[in-house]
């Protein structure tokens, strides 16, 4: 749906204040951005921490596993994350974004506790699935909460902090594992898992001091409270225009959802439910219709583009690097536990710089050129690694320079760039490492051609322009409805005039 405030932000491009300056001038907003981004750090940390733990002798002695079992222990986190991401949306609408974050954190802490105290493989599986459910939910609700509390002119930049925090979490996990590998016994692998509980508790304490989302407050009819929160967040009483924008979008969303529900259900949609069971069924059907709405006429092309880009993001192999970095380094002829873990730590640092480079250059270079360049870089790096691996697989000790060249290619690849990848990588590393890299390289080539032929450039374009380029007039139709609602809202007298910030 069309977001009025986002549209204004796009039109005002170039006049927006620097995000860091805006945050420093608004400590409350800085605190919100920091605390809510810890959810991303937890996601990255839980992804990266297993990478080196599974190479620690004490862990291998405690949990002897086949490559298939190992792959399932790693990848089940993503299965849990998918489940959590799917179910958290409805809960966030009912009990608020803030309380949903608390629920997700509670689930994550339970899963992390089970992992930390694990005695058998089944404990790891259960703990990682439950922990994955929590961080998957956080990965949806965290950016949503940030976007709804941020000023329109810096909203996009603040949400990118969440993505950056994921990368920082991976890097912290790599270096934590590197330090803990020097310890003796089970503490070497239990301590990194315990530390993620510490980060979760810090976020739990911080969330208690954060406000409700103004958009959610408006959604549930608490309009006066929404005005109060906006005044505190913006540090000014002059928030009536933003308050009206939020009210317009809330009314628009309610109207569109009700219209789609009536079209799908007919007279049953307006009938009063006779009991709680029927009311529950109608509520479930309403949720299904909301999700199905993304595939309505005029929407399928953008959904296909987004979903396919996410597919390529996974199948070019980035999660394989995150999950199995030490094993991948070892497969390239580099022996010694310290060497493997150190090379893994460097990968984490390069990921941070790569993410920062993308954040600060995407508006200048554009989305499409960066996607094309990234696809070329990924394909080239993986094909080079696959070629050297097939040539020297049996003689790495005599060709260590080639091995380090492959590791350099991985660094380059990480600079540019879930369940299935996490599951298949251990078996492929064991049976045919070269085939793994050629597969990733092949998907990089496919990614390039997909972006070249199907993905339009969206930089410096309004939502209506993007909509028309994707072969739809949905945004224009929505704008007509929004204009009608705005005219209604403009006639309303703001009920909270005089409330002090």
């Amino acid at each position: 749906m069309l977001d009025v405030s986002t549209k204004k932000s796009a039109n005002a491009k170039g006049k927006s204040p620097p995000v860091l300056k805006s945050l420093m001038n608004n400590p409350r907003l800085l605190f919100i951005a920091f605390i809510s981004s810890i959810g991303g750090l937890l996601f990255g940390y839980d992804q990266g921490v297993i990478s080196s733990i599974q190479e620690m002798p004490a862990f291998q002695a405690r949990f002897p596993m086949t490559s298939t079992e190992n792959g399932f222990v790693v990848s089940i986190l993503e299965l849990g994350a998918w489940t959590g991401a799917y179910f958290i949306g409805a809960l966030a609408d009912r009990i608020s974004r803030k309380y949903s974050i608390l629920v997700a954190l509670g689930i994550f802490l339970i899963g992390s506790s089970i992992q930390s105290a694990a005695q058998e493989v089944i404990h790891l599986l259960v703990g990682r699935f439950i922990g994955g459910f929590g961080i998957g939910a956080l990965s949806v609700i965290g950016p949503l909460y940030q976007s709804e509390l941020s000023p329109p002119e810096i909203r996009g930049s603040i949400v990118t902090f969440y993505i950056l925090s994921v990368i920082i979490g991976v890097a912290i996990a790599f270096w934590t594992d590197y330090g803990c590998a020097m310890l003796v016994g089970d503490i070497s692998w239990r301590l990194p898992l315990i530390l993620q509980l510490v980060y979760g508790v810090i976020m739990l304490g911080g969330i208690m001091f954060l406000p409700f989302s103004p958009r959610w407050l408006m959604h549930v009819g608490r309009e006066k409270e929404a005005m109060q929160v906006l005044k505190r967040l913006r540090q000014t009483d002059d928030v009536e225009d933003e308050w009206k924008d939020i009210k317009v979008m809330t009314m628009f969303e309610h109207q569109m959802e009700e219209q789609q529900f009536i079209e799908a259900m007919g007279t049953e949609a307006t009938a009063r439910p006779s009991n709680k069971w029927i009311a529950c069924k109608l509520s479930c059907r309403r949720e299904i219709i909301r999700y199905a709405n993304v595939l309505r006429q005029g929407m399928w092309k953008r959904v296909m583009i987004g979903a396919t880009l996410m597919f390529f993001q996974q199948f070019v192999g980035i999660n394989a690097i995150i999950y199995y970095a030490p094993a991948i380094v070892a497969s390239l002829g580099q022996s010694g536990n310290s060497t493997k873990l150190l090379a893994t730590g460097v990968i984490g640092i390069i990921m941070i710089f790569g993410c920062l480079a993308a954040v600060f250059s995407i508006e200048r270079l554009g989305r499409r050129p960066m996607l094309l360049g990234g696809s070329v870089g990924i394909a080239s790096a993986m094909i080079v690694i696959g070629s050297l691996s097939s040539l020297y697989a049996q003689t790495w000790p005599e060709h260590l320079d080639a091995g380090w060249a492959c590791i350099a290619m991985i660094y380059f690849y990480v600079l540019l760039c879930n369940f299935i990848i996490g599951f298949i990588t251990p078996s492929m590393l064991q049976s045919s490492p070269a085939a793994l890299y050629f597969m990733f390289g092949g998907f990089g080539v496919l990614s390039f051609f997909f972006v070249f032929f199907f993905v339009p450039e969206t930089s410096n374009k309004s939502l209506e322009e993007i909509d028309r380029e994707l072969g739809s007039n949905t945004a224009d139709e929505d704008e007509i409805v929004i204009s009608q609602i705005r005219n209604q809202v403009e006639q309303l007298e703001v009920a909270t005039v005089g409330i002090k910030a």
Side-chain angles (χ1 to χ4, degrees):
M1 292 182 181
L2 187 63
D3 188 326
V4 175
S5 57
T6 303
K7 181 185 172 186
K8 285 185 176 182
S9 172
N11 292 342
K13 191 173 179 180
K15 300 179 182 178
S16 301
V19 62
L20 292 179
K21 182 179 179 181
S22 296
L23 289 175
M24 294 307 295
N25 291 335
N26 192 335
R28 183 179 284 112
L29 190 59
L30 177 62
F31 182 73
I32 291 170
F34 171 74
I35 292 297
S36 55
S37 290
I38 296 178
L41 184 142
L42 293 175
F43 202 152
Y45 188 94
D46 214 4
Q47 282 186 312
V49 75
I50 198 69
S51 173
S52 299
I53 281 179
Q54 60 192 327
E55 297 296 317
M56 295 179 182
F59 181 86
Q60 293 174 342
R62 170 71 67 173
F63 306 108
M65 292 181 283
T66 65
S67 60
T68 300
E69 290 172 331
N70 189 33
F72 195 55
V73 166
V74 171
S75 61
I76 199 170
L77 176 85
E78 299 293 344
L79 196 59
W82 178 86
T83 309
Y86 182 82
F87 286 106
I88 196 63
L91 186 65
D93 285 341
R94 289 184 179 275
I95 68 172
S96 81
R97 286 45 166 151
K98 176 179 175 177
Y99 290 154
S100 296
I101 291 175
L102 291 175
V103 170
L105 270 174
I107 294 172
F108 168 77
L109 292 173
I110 292 171
S112 297
S113 299
I114 295 173
Q115 291 180 66
S116 302
Q119 300 296 323
E120 298 178 8
V121 173
I122 186 62
H123 300 153
L124 287 175
L125 289 170
V126 172
R128 283 184 65 78
F129 180 84
I130 295 174
F133 187 103
I135 59 177
L138 286 173
S139 71
V140 171
I141 207 66
L144 175 65
Y145 180 75
Q146 285 180 326
S147 67
E148 291 185 348
L149 269 72
S150 304
E153 63 271 13
I154 60 171
R155 182 172 297 146
S157 298
I158 287 182
V159 172
T160 60
F161 286 172
Y162 192 93
I163 308 302
L164 180 60
S165 68
V166 174
I167 305 302
I168 293 174
V170 172
I172 291 175
F174 284 168
W175 286 103
T176 300
D177 286 347
Y178 178 70
C180 290
M182 302 175 187
L183 302 175
V184 178
D186 282 358
I187 192 64
S188 63
W189 63 268
R190 290 194 192 277
L191 183 56
L193 295 176
I194 292 171
L195 287 176
Q196 65 185 350
L197 288 167
V198 176
Y199 303 136
V201 169
I202 292 173
M203 184 177 182
L204 190 67
I207 288 293
M208 304 301 293
F209 298 96
L210 301 189
F212 290 107
S213 159
R215 287 176 181 267
W216 179 80
L217 290 170
M218 190 73 75
H219 176 74
V220 296
R222 292 158 63 176
E223 297 183 1
K224 292 183 179 181
E225 215 174 322
M227 176 70 84
Q228 283 184 311
V229 171
L230 280 175
K231 288 181 177 181
R232 289 171 183 153
L233 288 173
R234 306 299 178 252
Q235 298 180 319
T236 178
D237 289 342
D238 187 19
V239 295
E240 185 174 331
D241 287 343
E242 186 176 357
W243 184 89
K244 286 183 178 179
D245 281 343
I246 294 173
K247 185 173 181 65
V248 167
M249 289 309 302
T250 302
M251 292 175 64
F252 170 71
E253 289 164 5
H254 284 170
Q255 180 175 319
M256 294 301 292
E257 286 179 12
E258 198 61 33
Q259 178 182 325
Q260 290 153 11
F261 187 59
I262 292 173
E263 289 175 356
M265 300 296 297
T267 56
E268 190 177 354
T270 56
R272 190 181 187 86
S274 57
N275 55 57
K276 291 183 178 181
W277 170 245
I278 294 177
C280 181
K281 284 176 61 177
L282 286 174
S283 178
C284 291
R285 289 181 182 178
R286 185 182 291 272
E287 288 300 315
I288 292 172
I289 291 169
R290 287 178 63 186
Y291 279 105
N293 183 51
V294 300
L295 296 177
R296 75 181 192 271
Q297 185 177 5
M299 296 291 289
W300 71 269
K301 186 174 181 180
R302 69 195 69 192
V303 173
M304 181 270 293
I305 289 175
T308 307
L309 286 175
M310 292 299 98
F311 169 84
F312 282 123
Q313 182 186 24
Q314 299 307 317
F315 273 82
V316 294
I318 183 58
N319 275 1
I321 302 297
I322 293 174
Y323 292 148
Y324 305 106
I328 288 173
V329 171
S331 76
L332 299 174
Q334 308 306 314
S335 59
N337 203 45
S338 180
T339 301
K340 291 188 294 183
L341 297 184
L342 181 61
T344 299
V346 174
I347 289 174
I349 293 175
I350 290 176
M351 288 177 68
I352 292 176
F353 283 106
C355 185
L356 286 172
V359 167
F360 289 116
S361 61
I362 191 168
E363 296 297 341
R364 181 167 53 87
L365 298 179
R367 281 72 164 163
R368 183 176 154 89
M370 292 191 72
L371 286 170
L372 291 170
S375 298
V376 171
I378 287 168
S380 301
M382 291 296 104
I383 291 171
V384 168
I385 295 173
S387 300
L388 292 176
S389 184
S390 62
L391 286 172
Y392 303 126
Q394 307 304 319
T395 58
W396 278 123
E398 289 80 40
H399 299 89
L400 291 180
D401 290 345
W404 279 111
C406 289
I407 294 173
M409 287 290 102
I410 289 176
Y411 290 164
F412 174 64
Y413 156 76
V414 169
L415 185 65
L416 292 168
C417 118
N418 268 320
F419 175 73
I420 295 175
I421 292 298
F423 185 68
I424 67 174
T425 297
S427 298
M428 292 191 70
L429 276 174
Q430 193 174 65
S431 59
S432 179
L436 179 70
Y437 303 125
F438 282 132
M439 181 187 78
F440 292 154
F443 278 115
V445 173
L446 292 175
S447 173
F448 174 87
F449 285 109
F450 174 78
V451 173
F452 186 83
F453 288 108
F454 296 106
V455 179
E457 178 58 68
T458 60
S459 182
N460 297 319
K461 292 182 180 178
S462 69
L463 295 180
E464 291 82 6
E465 290 172 329
I466 296 171
D467 198 46
R468 285 190 287 271
E469 192 160 347
L470 290 171
S472 170
N473 61 348
T474 304
D476 290 328
E477 294 171 356
D478 287 352
E479 180 61 25
I480 293 173
V481 178
I482 289 172
S483 297
Q484 294 171 349
I485 295 174
R486 178 172 292 281
N487 289 334
Q488 298 173 23
V489 172
E490 290 293 344
Q491 306 304 317
L492 299 176
E493 182 177 355
V494 179
T496 54
V497 170
I499 292 180
K500 296 182 179 179

